[in-house]
Amino acid sequence: MALKLKIKKTLLKRKVEGVTKEGYYGRVITNGTKSFEDIVKQSTHGSTLDYREAELACKMMIDGIADSIKQGYIVDLGVLGKLYPAVNGKWDENADNLQLADMKPKVNYKAGDDIAAAVKGASLSWTTEAETDENTVSDDENTGGNGGGNNNPPSGELEG
């Protein structure tokens, strides 16, 4: 089954040459949120493994992933993709103009090939107001860190 994404036209105010202008960008309206427990229960359904055992094992692995990222490692999550330390910063033709003060550390996510292909091959359609009201997440949830699934408004900065 092909992924279908609903897109909402979302207002964004930006300063362009010192003047605040209103414009719009497209934002994905998701199908909601699945909790960690929901996913563990779904994944162990029909298995002899109790979901609580799987949950404990997953949480232990997540702790290891977090520790590895904090130590500066790239973490390969198999079919999910990779998490890795990165920075946001400006682009300049002259390398000598780059300043560490302009670099903002972050964590990037690069989707695995299967996930990336599913998202890139998704069919897009505009959302209706009813669908938007039903599935919209707060703006706070859409402004967090981002890698693959960009719910964030365009920033004009380069990622790397």
Side-chain angles (χ1 to χ4, degrees):
M1 178 171 87
L3 177 61
K4 295 178 184 180
L5 297 175
K6 296 285 187 169
I7 310 299
K8 177 183 178 186
K9 296 174 185 175
T10 304
L11 177 65
L12 175 67
K13 294 179 183 179
R14 297 179 90 175
K15 277 198 174 181
V16 179
E17 297 173 5
V19 178
T20 301
K21 294 187 176 187
E22 290 185 355
Y24 293 85
Y25 72 100
R27 187 178 92 195
V28 172
I29 301 300
T30 66
N31 294 325
T33 301
K34 285 228 176 182
S35 72
F36 185 78
E37 184 176 331
D38 291 342
I39 292 170
V40 171
K41 285 181 177 179
Q42 175 187 345
S43 299
T44 57
H45 181 76
S47 168
T48 58
L49 182 64
D50 185 87
Y51 81 91
R52 290 168 289 238
E53 293 172 308
E55 183 177 35
L56 178 59
C58 288
K59 286 181 177 180
M60 291 170 68
M61 186 182 78
I62 289 169
D63 287 346
I65 290 168
D67 287 343
S68 296
I69 292 169
K70 290 175 187 177
Q71 294 174 29
Y73 288 95
I74 295 171
V75 177
D76 188 339
L77 301 171
V79 297
L80 290 178
K82 293 183 180 182
L83 294 171
Y84 55 95
V87 293
N88 273 352
K90 69 177 189 169
W91 177 89
D92 198 293
E93 291 180 357
N94 184 345
D96 293 335
N97 290 339
L98 296 180
Q99 302 292 318
L100 286 176
D102 295 330
M103 304 293 161
K104 296 178 186 129
K106 64 178 196 156
V107 176
N108 265 3
Y109 165 70
K110 182 181 183 305
D113 293 342
D114 196 38
I115 292 172
V119 172
K120 286 179 183 174
S123 64
L124 304 178
S125 63
W126 295 116
T127 188
T128 65
E129 285 303 315
E131 290 169 326
T132 299
D133 292 342
E134 191 176 300
N135 293 317
T136 297
V137 294
S138 71
D139 286 338
D140 291 344
E141 291 183 60
N142 281 330
T143 57
N146 147 29
N150 189 350
N151 277 346
N152 299 331
S155 68
E157 291 185 336
L158 296 177
E159 297 180 4

